[in-house]
Amino acid sequence: MSMDGIAIGLDIGGTNLRVAQVTYRGEVLKRTRRETSQDIVKDIIESIDELITEDTVGIGIGIAGVVDSTSGVVKRSPNLSQAEGIDLKSILSDKYNLPIRIDNDANAATLGERFVGAGRRFEDFVMLTLGTGIGGGVVINGALLKTASELGHITVEANGKKCLCPNSGCLEAYASGRAIVSDVIDQLEKGADSLLKDCCEGNIYKITPEDVYNYALEGDTLARETLKNAGKYLGIGIASLVNIFSPQAVIIGGGLTGAWDILVREAIREANKRAFPELIENVEILPAQLADNAGVVGAASLVLYSSEAK
Amino acid sequence: MSMDGIAIGLDIGGTNLRVAQVTYRGEVLKRTRRETSQDIVKDIIESIDELITEDTVGIGIGIAGVVDSTSGVVKRSPNLSQAEGIDLKSILSDKYNLPIRIDNDANAATLGERFVGAGRRFEDFVMLTLGTGIGGGVVINGALLKTASELGHITVEANGKKCLCPNSGCLEAYASGRAIVSDVIDQLEKGADSLLKDCCEGNIYKITPEDVYNYALEGDTLARETLKNAGKYLGIGIASLVNIFSPQAVIIGGGLTGAWDILVREAIREANKRAFPELIENVEILPAQLADNAGVVGAASLVLYSSEAK
């Protein structure tokens, strides 16, 4: 296969559709971004048509939700319900006559890290993306595990907080950006003493995870304790994943990695207390590298990278 | 490769060493059993020498503990500490000049189910072995996942009961045979009213999981509630595993499968409430088939079965 081609990578989140031309070296040539409409198929096709070239070897799509990567059908996508049930793979195969690969966005980002990011050094790693929710992906023997890998939805508290999924006590309900903000607001509503009361011109319902981190750095106790508590739960989840997957590394990406020094440090401490010592002793816990491009490069890697093509 | 050969399968538990000749059809020809001594290498070699023939194509070993299946070194084996750190693979390779495969006993049993048991129908399944502790294994795309798969050591209660491992709140601390007996004894010591007080000639410290199941069938409330509580936690664990692995089936083996009607039924109910609906809706939860031979057939399958040789 020529190494000159590009893949089109599409990262389809709740409200944004990001698309890029990605080379075999993982470089982004051109990229676009638009808001998603109710006609998601039209959005996708228009975006591809803008960027497709004669050198395009395939189209990769990472989409938030539960995807059957074999059939290419989006089974459930809470933030993008207009995509549910659509057989994107067939539609795009018919139109472009190119290989089409579709997977969950966190799985795609995981493969992107393996392709040109922090996962290049590891044959076996677990990736967690900490954003509004928590996504995940797993690489074993250099290849993406073809499973749902909904790592944010493992139970950490049997009778715990209600999650947005049917479960209670999910990791996501304790260690996601949404959980951190929700905890802070709960405490402020109960009258907790914190500088965060004055955040966002006094509208505490506009507090973001970044605000919590910034106030924590300034020494605010509520902000710091909330992040540490989320980090503790993140560590509990990491310990379970280490006991399951015995990985060489745990790679952490997503918006919350900004809070590494408080959140992830606490998680590492907790995970080391809990996991099998002989399994965790050599595990590297490190940040993802692809940052803003993780979504589109990950999606393109579904086409460009395979464990055979190392 | 000729299909006439046999493999020697060794199942090395805490106190027993079971060894068998196993054919490519998974049949057990001859088998032996002995107690393990402090000289585990001598035990193993004597057992192999008893059963090895000219048709032997390899030797497979399933051993309780954490095993590095690549190097063949037993990293930790709490009930068989004399095996820790021994490079069994090199020792046996040198002596027999045959392929030697070593893995955790639960991983071996999982591959055995895939080879000639309940896993034959499934490309993707999770196996849980419910005994004194809880072991596990995972098959994806028809092949055993080469990971620790310590599925009994995922956290289900963040601040829960102390496990024998460094963690607290492990699935094993709530849903294993040891946990069930320990729960019953705790309740009896607190004066709970139960027919189990008269079990084992009044020595409640001799109660077994089978006793608890038998009393539950006779209508004893404490026995029944204890099993249902363990089943609830088992279901919580299963839901997490379904969200991670999106399997076609969950296969349950080990001594506790006798309590299926109470324990596992409750687990299925709980798992269905908690897992992603689109992931669990088609999951079959069913008992393992290999029963007494699971250990030796599983160990032999490490040699006899590969995903390529379907």
Side-chain angles (χ1 to χ4, degrees):
Chain A
M1 193 189 281
S2 156
M3 296 298 277
D4 296 332
I6 58 154
I8 307 286
L10 292 90
D11 176 24
I12 314 181
T15 52
N16 277 296
L17 170 58
R18 295 161 203 261
V19 188
Q21 297 172 340
V22 181
T23 72
Y24 275 95
R25 283 175 297 277
E27 298 155 334
V28 170
L29 300 183
K30 277 192 203 166
R31 49 185 293 171
T32 68
R33 173 179 173 166
R34 69 179 67 205
E35 297 206 345
T36 51
S37 72
Q38 278 307 305
D39 191 347
I40 188 74
V41 173
K42 178 162 164 282
D43 298 338
I44 289 171
I45 288 176
E46 283 181 5
S47 299
I48 294 172
D49 286 345
E50 261 180 66
L51 294 185
I52 198 166
T53 68
E54 286 194 353
D55 294 333
T56 302
V57 299
I59 297 168
I61 299 178
I63 187 163
V66 177
V67 182
D68 182 331
S69 61
T70 307
S71 70
V73 174
V74 180
K75 296 175 83 169
R76 192 166 62 99
S77 190
N79 299 320
L80 198 74
S81 55
Q82 65 269 42
E84 286 179 6
I86 295 179
D87 184 356
L88 276 180
K89 195 168 179 173
S90 299
I91 293 170
L92 299 178
S93 290
D94 289 350
K95 181 161 174 64
Y96 296 105
N97 196 28
L98 285 170
I100 312 290
R101 302 278 179 274
I102 302 181
D103 211 327
N104 166 279
D105 56 351
N107 270 352
T110 302
L111 195 63
E113 289 294 327
R114 170 69 186 152
F115 176 39
V116 285
R120 269 174 301 183
R121 289 194 288 127
F122 305 106
E123 289 290 300
D124 302 305
F125 70 88
V126 171
M127 178 153 169
L128 289 168
T129 52
L130 308 180
T132 308
I134 296 182
V138 181
V139 166
I140 300 290
N141 280 339
L144 185 68
L145 208 58
K146 288 197 168 298
T147 54
S149 302
E150 288 287 354
L151 307 184
H153 299 278
I154 57 178
T155 302
V156 291
E157 286 278 17
N159 300 300
K161 292 187 202 175
K162 190 77 198 75
C163 187
L164 293 185
C165 86
N167 197 12
S168 295
C170 285
L171 175 59
E172 178 169 302
Y174 289 86
S176 64
R178 192 191 296 115
I180 289 167
V181 168
S182 158
D183 281 358
V184 161
I185 292 174
D186 278 357
Q187 292 300 316
L188 292 175
E189 285 179 341
K190 286 180 191 161
D193 184 28
S194 163
L195 297 169
L196 278 161
K197 274 186 294 193
D198 305 323
C199 179
C200 313
E201 298 177 338
N203 184 351
I204 61 170
Y205 303 103
K206 291 199 165 171
I207 291 173
T208 66
E210 289 71 34
D211 293 329
V212 179
Y213 180 62
N214 288 332
Y215 278 71
L217 288 184
E218 286 174 29
D220 185 75
T221 304
L222 174 65
R224 178 169 284 268
E225 289 306 313
T226 303
L227 283 174
K228 285 180 76 170
N229 186 55
K232 177 189 154 187
Y233 279 101
L234 178 61
I236 292 172
I238 288 173
S240 291
L241 295 169
V242 165
N243 285 350
I244 294 174
F245 291 110
S246 45
Q248 298 166 311
V250 176
I251 296 174
I252 297 178
L256 283 184
T257 41
W260 190 275
D261 286 347
I262 301 173
L263 180 84
V264 184
R265 274 185 202 280
E266 186 68 25
I268 293 172
R269 205 169 10 242
E270 190 74 19
N272 273 290
K273 281 196 292 191
R274 290 181 177 257
F276 277 30
E278 60 279 15
L279 295 182
I280 201 160
E281 63 187 358
N282 295 316
V283 174
E284 291 188 45
I285 298 181
L286 73 170
Q289 286 179 357
L290 295 186
D292 282 353
N293 283 331
V296 288
V297 173
S301 71
L302 295 169
V303 173
L304 298 172
Y305 177 83
S306 75
S307 56
E308 288 73 46
K310 270 180 281 195
Chain B
M1 194 188 281
S2 157
M3 295 299 276
D4 295 333
I6 56 153
I8 308 286
L10 292 90
D11 176 26
I12 313 181
T15 53
N16 277 294
L17 170 58
R18 295 161 202 261
V19 188
Q21 297 171 342
V22 181
T23 72
Y24 275 95
R25 283 176 297 278
E27 298 154 336
V28 170
L29 300 182
K30 279 192 202 166
R31 51 185 292 171
T32 67
R33 174 180 173 166
R34 70 178 68 207
E35 296 206 345
T36 50
S37 72
Q38 278 307 304
D39 191 347
I40 188 73
V41 173
K42 180 161 161 282
D43 298 338
I44 289 171
I45 287 176
E46 284 180 5
S47 299
I48 293 172
D49 286 344
E50 262 179 66
L51 294 185
I52 198 165
T53 68
E54 285 194 353
D55 293 333
T56 301
V57 299
I59 297 167
I61 299 178
I63 187 164
V66 178
V67 182
D68 182 331
S69 61
T70 306
S71 69
V73 175
V74 179
K75 297 177 82 169
R76 191 167 63 100
S77 189
N79 299 318
L80 198 76
S81 54
Q82 65 268 44
E84 287 179 5
I86 295 180
D87 184 355
L88 276 180
K89 194 168 179 174
S90 298
I91 294 169
L92 299 177
S93 290
D94 289 350
K95 181 160 174 62
Y96 295 106
N97 195 28
L98 284 171
I100 311 290
R101 301 277 180 275
I102 303 180
D103 211 327
N104 168 278
D105 56 352
N107 270 351
T110 302
L111 195 63
E113 290 293 328
R114 168 70 185 153
F115 176 38
V116 286
R120 269 175 301 184
R121 290 193 288 127
F122 305 106
E123 290 290 300
D124 302 305
F125 69 89
V126 171
M127 179 155 168
L128 289 168
T129 53
L130 308 181
T132 309
I134 296 182
V138 182
V139 167
I140 300 290
N141 279 338
L144 185 68
L145 209 59
K146 290 196 169 295
T147 53
S149 302
E150 289 286 355
L151 307 185
H153 299 279
I154 57 176
T155 302
V156 291
E157 287 277 17
N159 300 299
K161 293 186 200 176
K162 191 75 198 74
C163 188
L164 293 185
C165 85
N167 197 11
S168 295
C170 284
L171 176 59
E172 178 169 302
Y174 290 86
S176 63
R178 191 192 295 116
I180 288 166
V181 167
S182 158
D183 280 358
V184 162
I185 292 173
D186 277 358
Q187 291 300 315
L188 291 174
E189 285 179 342
K190 286 180 190 161
D193 184 28
S194 163
L195 297 168
L196 278 162
K197 273 185 296 193
D198 305 323
C199 178
C200 313
E201 299 176 338
N203 185 349
I204 61 171
Y205 303 102
K206 291 198 166 173
I207 291 174
T208 67
E210 290 70 33
D211 294 328
V212 179
Y213 181 61
N214 289 331
Y215 278 72
L217 288 183
E218 287 173 26
D220 186 76
T221 304
L222 174 65
R224 179 169 283 268
E225 290 306 312
T226 303
L227 283 175
K228 285 179 74 170
N229 186 55
K232 177 190 154 184
Y233 279 101
L234 178 60
I236 292 171
I238 289 174
S240 291
L241 295 169
V242 165
N243 285 351
I244 294 172
F245 291 111
S246 44
Q248 298 164 312
V250 176
I251 296 174
I252 297 178
L256 283 184
T257 41
W260 191 276
D261 285 348
I262 301 172
L263 180 84
V264 184
R265 273 185 202 280
E266 186 67 24
I268 292 172
R269 209 172 1 246
E270 190 73 20
N272 273 291
K273 282 196 292 191
R274 289 179 177 259
F276 277 29
E278 61 279 15
L279 295 181
I280 201 160
E281 63 186 357
N282 296 315
V283 174
E284 290 187 46
I285 299 182
L286 72 172
Q289 289 179 355
L290 296 186
D292 282 355
N293 284 330
V296 288
V297 173
S301 70
L302 295 170
V303 173
L304 298 172
Y305 178 84
S306 76
S307 57
E308 288 74 46
K310 270 177 281 194

